[in-house]
mmCIF file of all heavy atoms in Angstrom:
data_model
loop_
_atom_site.group_PDB
_atom_site.id
_atom_site.type_symbol
_atom_site.label_atom_id
_atom_site.label_comp_id
_atom_site.label_asym_id
_atom_site.label_seq_id
_atom_site.Cartn_x
_atom_site.Cartn_y
_atom_site.Cartn_z
ATOM 1 N N ALA A 23 193.828 -124.149 -96.322
ATOM 2 C CA ALA A 23 194.201 -125.497 -95.881
ATOM 3 C C ALA A 23 195.641 -125.830 -96.257
ATOM 4 O O ALA A 23 196.189 -125.300 -97.221
ATOM 5 C CB ALA A 23 193.262 -126.529 -96.499
ATOM 6 N N ASP A 24 196.223 -126.722 -95.495
ATOM 7 C CA ASP A 24 197.522 -127.308 -95.820
ATOM 8 C C ASP A 24 197.219 -128.578 -96.608
ATOM 9 O O ASP A 24 196.708 -129.552 -96.050
ATOM 10 C CB ASP A 24 198.287 -127.622 -94.535
ATOM 11 C CG ASP A 24 199.667 -128.211 -94.804
ATOM 12 O OD1 ASP A 24 200.120 -128.180 -95.970
ATOM 13 O OD2 ASP A 24 200.298 -128.700 -93.842
ATOM 14 N N PHE A 25 197.491 -128.566 -97.921
ATOM 15 C CA PHE A 25 197.088 -129.708 -98.742
ATOM 16 C C PHE A 25 198.040 -129.897 -99.906
ATOM 17 O O PHE A 25 198.824 -129.012 -100.249
ATOM 18 C CB PHE A 25 195.656 -129.518 -99.258
ATOM 19 C CG PHE A 25 195.512 -128.442 -100.301
ATOM 20 C CD1 PHE A 25 195.496 -128.741 -101.654
ATOM 21 C CD2 PHE A 25 195.405 -127.109 -99.923
ATOM 22 C CE1 PHE A 25 195.357 -127.755 -102.625
ATOM 23 C CE2 PHE A 25 195.263 -126.104 -100.881
ATOM 24 C CZ PHE A 25 195.243 -126.429 -102.232
ATOM 25 N N GLU A 26 197.949 -131.063 -100.508
ATOM 26 C CA GLU A 26 198.652 -131.343 -101.753
ATOM 27 C C GLU A 26 197.644 -131.875 -102.748
ATOM 28 O O GLU A 26 196.522 -132.250 -102.379
ATOM 29 C CB GLU A 26 199.793 -132.328 -101.544
ATOM 30 C CG GLU A 26 199.387 -133.680 -101.000
ATOM 31 C CD GLU A 26 200.583 -134.603 -100.808
ATOM 32 O OE1 GLU A 26 201.225 -134.959 -101.815
ATOM 33 O OE2 GLU A 26 200.856 -134.977 -99.641
ATOM 34 N N ILE A 27 198.037 -131.899 -104.006
ATOM 35 C CA ILE A 27 197.139 -132.383 -105.052
ATOM 36 C C ILE A 27 197.845 -133.456 -105.867
ATOM 37 O O ILE A 27 199.068 -133.492 -105.946
ATOM 38 C CB ILE A 27 196.675 -131.247 -105.984
ATOM 39 C CG1 ILE A 27 197.872 -130.557 -106.657
ATOM 40 C CG2 ILE A 27 195.819 -130.253 -105.230
ATOM 41 C CD1 ILE A 27 197.484 -129.510 -107.689
ATOM 42 N N GLU A 28 197.030 -134.345 -106.441
ATOM 43 C CA GLU A 28 197.558 -135.351 -107.349
ATOM 44 C C GLU A 28 196.555 -135.549 -108.473
ATOM 45 O O GLU A 28 195.377 -135.830 -108.229
ATOM 46 C CB GLU A 28 197.826 -136.673 -106.635
ATOM 47 C CG GLU A 28 198.506 -137.696 -107.546
ATOM 48 C CD GLU A 28 199.049 -138.902 -106.801
ATOM 49 O OE1 GLU A 28 199.039 -138.900 -105.546
ATOM 50 O OE2 GLU A 28 199.486 -139.864 -107.473
ATOM 51 N N ALA A 29 197.024 -135.373 -109.706
ATOM 52 C CA ALA A 29 196.153 -135.500 -110.870
ATOM 53 C C ALA A 29 195.807 -136.961 -111.116
ATOM 54 O O ALA A 29 196.564 -137.875 -110.778
ATOM 55 C CB ALA A 29 196.829 -134.904 -112.100
ATOM 56 N N VAL A 30 194.640 -137.155 -111.726
ATOM 57 C CA VAL A 30 194.141 -138.494 -112.035
ATOM 58 C C VAL A 30 193.814 -138.572 -113.520
ATOM 59 O O VAL A 30 193.159 -137.682 -114.074
ATOM 60 C CB VAL A 30 192.874 -138.820 -111.215
ATOM 61 C CG1 VAL A 30 192.319 -140.182 -111.605
ATOM 62 C CG2 VAL A 30 193.168 -138.764 -109.715
ATOM 63 N N ASP A 31 194.275 -139.637 -114.152
ATOM 64 C CA ASP A 31 193.846 -139.963 -115.505
ATOM 65 C C ASP A 31 192.681 -140.927 -115.337
ATOM 66 O O ASP A 31 192.868 -142.120 -115.087
ATOM 67 C CB ASP A 31 194.989 -140.610 -116.290
ATOM 68 C CG ASP A 31 194.623 -140.949 -117.728
ATOM 69 O OD1 ASP A 31 193.420 -141.116 -118.009
ATOM 70 O OD2 ASP A 31 195.539 -141.076 -118.564
ATOM 71 N N THR A 32 191.462 -140.406 -115.444
ATOM 72 C CA THR A 32 190.292 -141.233 -115.168
ATOM 73 C C THR A 32 190.044 -142.276 -116.257
ATOM 74 O O THR A 32 189.375 -143.277 -116.007
ATOM 75 C CB THR A 32 189.037 -140.361 -114.992
ATOM 76 O OG1 THR A 32 188.899 -139.487 -116.121
ATOM 77 C CG2 THR A 32 189.141 -139.527 -113.720
ATOM 78 N N VAL A 33 190.579 -142.045 -117.445
ATOM 79 C CA VAL A 33 190.430 -143.033 -118.514
ATOM 80 C C VAL A 33 191.329 -144.241 -118.241
ATOM 81 O O VAL A 33 190.903 -145.397 -118.291
ATOM 82 C CB VAL A 33 190.754 -142.421 -119.890
ATOM 83 C CG1 VAL A 33 190.710 -143.492 -120.982
ATOM 84 C CG2 VAL A 33 189.780 -141.292 -120.209
ATOM 85 N N ALA A 34 192.594 -143.960 -117.916
ATOM 86 C CA ALA A 34 193.541 -145.029 -117.605
ATOM 87 C C ALA A 34 193.323 -145.588 -116.200
ATOM 88 O O ALA A 34 193.775 -146.700 -115.896
ATOM 89 C CB ALA A 34 194.971 -144.523 -117.749
ATOM 90 N N GLY A 35 192.662 -144.804 -115.357
ATOM 91 C CA GLY A 35 192.411 -145.264 -113.992
ATOM 92 C C GLY A 35 193.630 -145.210 -113.105
ATOM 93 O O GLY A 35 193.747 -145.990 -112.154
ATOM 94 N N GLN A 36 194.533 -144.246 -113.385
ATOM 95 C CA GLN A 36 195.764 -144.126 -112.610
ATOM 96 C C GLN A 36 195.994 -142.699 -112.145
ATOM 97 O O GLN A 36 195.606 -141.742 -112.821
ATOM 98 C CB GLN A 36 196.972 -144.561 -113.437
ATOM 99 C CG GLN A 36 197.127 -146.066 -113.602
ATOM 100 C CD GLN A 36 198.516 -146.419 -114.092
ATOM 101 O OE1 GLN A 36 199.082 -145.729 -114.930
ATOM 102 N NE2 GLN A 36 199.067 -147.501 -113.576
ATOM 103 N N THR A 37 196.639 -142.580 -110.995
ATOM 104 C CA THR A 37 197.081 -141.264 -110.542
ATOM 105 C C THR A 37 198.406 -140.943 -111.216
ATOM 106 O O THR A 37 199.049 -141.812 -111.826
ATOM 107 C CB THR A 37 197.275 -141.235 -109.022
ATOM 108 O OG1 THR A 37 198.463 -141.968 -108.680
ATOM 109 C CG2 THR A 37 196.080 -141.837 -108.296
ATOM 110 N N GLU A 38 198.819 -139.686 -111.113
ATOM 111 C CA GLU A 38 200.062 -139.297 -111.772
ATOM 112 C C GLU A 38 201.280 -140.004 -111.176
ATOM 113 O O GLU A 38 202.330 -140.061 -111.813
ATOM 114 C CB GLU A 38 200.254 -137.780 -111.708
ATOM 115 C CG GLU A 38 200.404 -137.192 -110.320
ATOM 116 C CD GLU A 38 200.521 -135.678 -110.362
ATOM 117 O OE1 GLU A 38 201.356 -135.166 -111.139
ATOM 118 O OE2 GLU A 38 199.780 -134.998 -109.631
ATOM 119 N N ARG A 39 201.151 -140.582 -110.010
ATOM 120 C CA ARG A 39 202.249 -141.337 -109.402
ATOM 121 C C ARG A 39 202.127 -142.830 -109.680
ATOM 122 O O ARG A 39 202.891 -143.635 -109.126
ATOM 123 C CB ARG A 39 202.293 -141.070 -107.897
ATOM 124 C CG ARG A 39 202.590 -139.603 -107.560
ATOM 125 C CD ARG A 39 202.584 -139.328 -106.081
ATOM 126 N NE ARG A 39 202.736 -137.901 -105.808
ATOM 127 C CZ ARG A 39 202.636 -137.331 -104.602
ATOM 128 N NH1 ARG A 39 202.373 -138.096 -103.539
ATOM 129 N NH2 ARG A 39 202.787 -136.032 -104.450
ATOM 130 N N GLY A 40 201.172 -143.207 -110.540
ATOM 131 C CA GLY A 40 201.076 -144.591 -110.978
ATOM 132 C C GLY A 40 200.240 -145.497 -110.117
ATOM 133 O O GLY A 40 200.237 -146.714 -110.315
ATOM 134 N N GLN A 41 199.486 -144.922 -109.184
ATOM 135 C CA GLN A 41 198.647 -145.753 -108.325
ATOM 136 C C GLN A 41 197.314 -146.045 -109.015
ATOM 137 O O GLN A 41 196.780 -145.214 -109.759
ATOM 138 C CB GLN A 41 198.382 -145.038 -106.995
ATOM 139 C CG GLN A 41 197.654 -145.892 -105.969
ATOM 140 C CD GLN A 41 197.576 -145.208 -104.609
ATOM 141 O OE1 GLN A 41 198.075 -144.102 -104.425
ATOM 142 N NE2 GLN A 41 196.951 -145.872 -103.656
ATOM 143 N N ASN A 42 196.786 -147.233 -108.776
ATOM 144 C CA ASN A 42 195.460 -147.579 -109.277
ATOM 145 C C ASN A 42 194.444 -146.707 -108.550
ATOM 146 O O ASN A 42 194.240 -146.839 -107.338
ATOM 147 C CB ASN A 42 195.172 -149.061 -109.030
ATOM 148 C CG ASN A 42 193.821 -149.500 -109.560
ATOM 149 O OD1 ASN A 42 192.981 -148.686 -109.921
ATOM 150 N ND2 ASN A 42 193.600 -150.805 -109.592
ATOM 151 N N TYR A 43 193.783 -145.837 -109.300
ATOM 152 C CA TYR A 43 192.901 -144.868 -108.657
ATOM 153 C C TYR A 43 191.691 -145.526 -108.002
ATOM 154 O O TYR A 43 191.174 -145.026 -107.004
ATOM 155 C CB TYR A 43 192.450 -143.816 -109.670
ATOM 156 C CG TYR A 43 191.608 -142.721 -109.060
ATOM 157 C CD1 TYR A 43 192.071 -141.970 -107.976
ATOM 158 C CD2 TYR A 43 190.327 -142.456 -109.542
ATOM 159 C CE1 TYR A 43 191.298 -140.975 -107.408
ATOM 160 C CE2 TYR A 43 189.541 -141.457 -108.979
ATOM 161 C CZ TYR A 43 190.037 -140.720 -107.908
ATOM 162 O OH TYR A 43 189.262 -139.730 -107.340
ATOM 163 N N ARG A 44 191.256 -146.656 -108.521
ATOM 164 C CA ARG A 44 190.097 -147.315 -107.919
ATOM 165 C C ARG A 44 190.411 -147.889 -106.539
ATOM 166 O O ARG A 44 189.497 -148.236 -105.786
ATOM 167 C CB ARG A 44 189.545 -148.397 -108.851
ATOM 168 C CG ARG A 44 188.814 -147.803 -110.054
ATOM 169 C CD ARG A 44 188.097 -148.849 -110.879
ATOM 170 N NE ARG A 44 187.426 -148.245 -112.027
ATOM 171 C CZ ARG A 44 186.216 -147.724 -112.024
ATOM 172 N NH1 ARG A 44 185.513 -147.730 -110.899
ATOM 173 N NH2 ARG A 44 185.694 -147.204 -113.116
ATOM 174 N N ASP A 45 191.684 -147.988 -106.205
ATOM 175 C CA ASP A 45 192.035 -148.352 -104.832
ATOM 176 C C ASP A 45 191.762 -147.192 -103.880
ATOM 177 O O ASP A 45 191.658 -147.383 -102.671
ATOM 178 C CB ASP A 45 193.516 -148.739 -104.748
ATOM 179 C CG ASP A 45 193.816 -150.061 -105.439
ATOM 180 O OD1 ASP A 45 192.872 -150.854 -105.645
ATOM 181 O OD2 ASP A 45 194.993 -150.295 -105.785
ATOM 182 N N ILE A 46 191.660 -146.009 -104.442
ATOM 183 C CA ILE A 46 191.387 -144.802 -103.656
ATOM 184 C C ILE A 46 189.905 -144.467 -103.691
ATOM 185 O O ILE A 46 189.286 -144.179 -102.672
ATOM 186 C CB ILE A 46 192.220 -143.619 -104.195
ATOM 187 C CG1 ILE A 46 193.717 -143.931 -104.057
ATOM 188 C CG2 ILE A 46 191.858 -142.308 -103.489
ATOM 189 C CD1 ILE A 46 194.612 -143.016 -104.856
ATOM 190 N N ASN A 47 189.345 -144.502 -104.889
ATOM 191 C CA ASN A 47 187.927 -144.224 -105.091
ATOM 192 C C ASN A 47 187.371 -145.284 -106.034
ATOM 193 O O ASN A 47 187.680 -145.280 -107.230
ATOM 194 C CB ASN A 47 187.735 -142.819 -105.679
ATOM 195 C CG ASN A 47 186.269 -142.454 -105.882
ATOM 196 O OD1 ASN A 47 185.383 -143.294 -105.768
ATOM 197 N ND2 ASN A 47 186.027 -141.195 -106.192
ATOM 198 N N ALA A 48 186.577 -146.183 -105.506
ATOM 199 C CA ALA A 48 186.075 -147.318 -106.290
ATOM 200 C C ALA A 48 185.208 -146.883 -107.462
ATOM 201 O O ALA A 48 185.045 -147.630 -108.427
ATOM 202 C CB ALA A 48 185.291 -148.264 -105.390
ATOM 203 N N ASN A 49 184.672 -145.669 -107.404
ATOM 204 C CA ASN A 49 183.856 -145.176 -108.513
ATOM 205 C C ASN A 49 184.707 -144.744 -109.708
ATOM 206 O O ASN A 49 184.206 -144.663 -110.826
ATOM 207 C CB ASN A 49 182.990 -143.994 -108.063
ATOM 208 C CG ASN A 49 181.838 -144.424 -107.184
ATOM 209 O OD1 ASN A 49 181.218 -145.445 -107.433
ATOM 210 N ND2 ASN A 49 181.554 -143.660 -106.146
ATOM 211 N N GLY A 50 185.957 -144.423 -109.461
ATOM 212 C CA GLY A 50 186.873 -144.102 -110.546
ATOM 213 C C GLY A 50 186.835 -142.680 -111.053
ATOM 214 O O GLY A 50 187.546 -142.343 -112.002
ATOM 215 N N TYR A 51 186.011 -141.820 -110.434
ATOM 216 C CA TYR A 51 185.969 -140.436 -110.900
ATOM 217 C C TYR A 51 186.409 -139.479 -109.793
ATOM 218 O O TYR A 51 186.555 -139.866 -108.631
ATOM 219 C CB TYR A 51 184.582 -140.069 -111.440
ATOM 220 C CG TYR A 51 183.403 -140.412 -110.555
ATOM 221 C CD1 TYR A 51 183.135 -139.712 -109.385
ATOM 222 C CD2 TYR A 51 182.531 -141.443 -110.911
ATOM 223 C CE1 TYR A 51 182.047 -140.020 -108.598
ATOM 224 C CE2 TYR A 51 181.435 -141.766 -110.129
ATOM 225 C CZ TYR A 51 181.189 -141.034 -108.966
ATOM 226 O OH TYR A 51 180.106 -141.354 -108.181
ATOM 227 N N VAL A 52 186.640 -138.253 -110.185
ATOM 228 C CA VAL A 52 187.077 -137.226 -109.242
ATOM 229 C C VAL A 52 185.874 -136.388 -108.811
ATOM 230 O O VAL A 52 184.859 -136.367 -109.513
ATOM 231 C CB VAL A 52 188.157 -136.328 -109.878
ATOM 232 C CG1 VAL A 52 189.418 -137.106 -110.157
ATOM 233 C CG2 VAL A 52 187.654 -135.637 -111.145
ATOM 234 N N PRO A 53 186.021 -135.712 -107.633
ATOM 235 C CA PRO A 53 187.189 -135.647 -106.767
ATOM 236 C C PRO A 53 187.180 -136.740 -105.700
ATOM 237 O O PRO A 53 186.158 -137.368 -105.435
ATOM 238 C CB PRO A 53 187.034 -134.275 -106.099
ATOM 239 C CG PRO A 53 185.538 -134.124 -105.963
ATOM 240 C CD PRO A 53 184.968 -134.754 -107.217
ATOM 241 N N SER A 54 188.353 -136.898 -105.095
ATOM 242 C CA SER A 54 188.490 -137.637 -103.852
ATOM 243 C C SER A 54 189.367 -136.798 -102.933
ATOM 244 O O SER A 54 190.281 -136.123 -103.401
ATOM 245 C CB SER A 54 189.152 -138.999 -104.060
ATOM 246 O OG SER A 54 188.321 -139.859 -104.787
ATOM 247 N N LEU A 55 189.069 -136.854 -101.661
ATOM 248 C CA LEU A 55 189.847 -136.105 -100.681
ATOM 249 C C LEU A 55 190.324 -137.041 -99.591
ATOM 250 O O LEU A 55 189.522 -137.760 -98.986
ATOM 251 C CB LEU A 55 189.005 -134.986 -100.057
ATOM 252 C CG LEU A 55 189.733 -134.103 -99.038
ATOM 253 C CD1 LEU A 55 190.727 -133.181 -99.735
ATOM 254 C CD2 LEU A 55 188.734 -133.293 -98.206
ATOM 255 N N GLU A 56 191.625 -137.051 -99.372
ATOM 256 C CA GLU A 56 192.194 -137.747 -98.215
ATOM 257 C C GLU A 56 192.313 -136.734 -97.097
ATOM 258 O O GLU A 56 192.996 -135.710 -97.241
ATOM 259 C CB GLU A 56 193.552 -138.338 -98.549
ATOM 260 C CG GLU A 56 194.173 -139.117 -97.402
ATOM 261 C CD GLU A 56 195.517 -139.738 -97.752
ATOM 262 O OE1 GLU A 56 195.813 -139.874 -98.960
ATOM 263 O OE2 GLU A 56 196.264 -140.082 -96.808
ATOM 264 N N THR A 57 191.632 -136.981 -95.997
ATOM 265 C CA THR A 57 191.613 -136.028 -94.898
ATOM 266 C C THR A 57 192.882 -136.144 -94.055
ATOM 267 O O THR A 57 193.670 -137.085 -94.208
ATOM 268 C CB THR A 57 190.402 -136.258 -93.992
ATOM 269 O OG1 THR A 57 190.585 -137.491 -93.256
ATOM 270 C CG2 THR A 57 189.114 -136.329 -94.804
ATOM 271 N N ASP A 58 193.040 -135.201 -93.141
ATOM 272 C CA ASP A 58 194.193 -135.244 -92.231
ATOM 273 C C ASP A 58 194.198 -136.519 -91.407
ATOM 274 O O ASP A 58 195.253 -136.999 -90.996
ATOM 275 C CB ASP A 58 194.161 -134.025 -91.293
ATOM 276 C CG ASP A 58 194.506 -132.732 -92.012
ATOM 277 O OD1 ASP A 58 195.192 -132.798 -93.055
ATOM 278 O OD2 ASP A 58 194.083 -131.657 -91.547
#
Side-chain angles (χ1 to χ4, degrees):
D24 181 11
F25 70 97
E26 60 181 296
I27 59 175
E28 186 168 352
V30 177
D31 181 336
T32 53
V33 175
Q36 284 196 321
T37 73
E38 63 183 310
R39 297 178 186 173
Q41 187 173 359
N42 182 348
Y43 184 55
R44 287 188 181 274
D45 290 340
I46 298 165
N47 181 350
N49 287 320
Y51 49 72
V52 294
S54 292
L55 182 72
E56 182 179 341
T57 71
D58 288 336

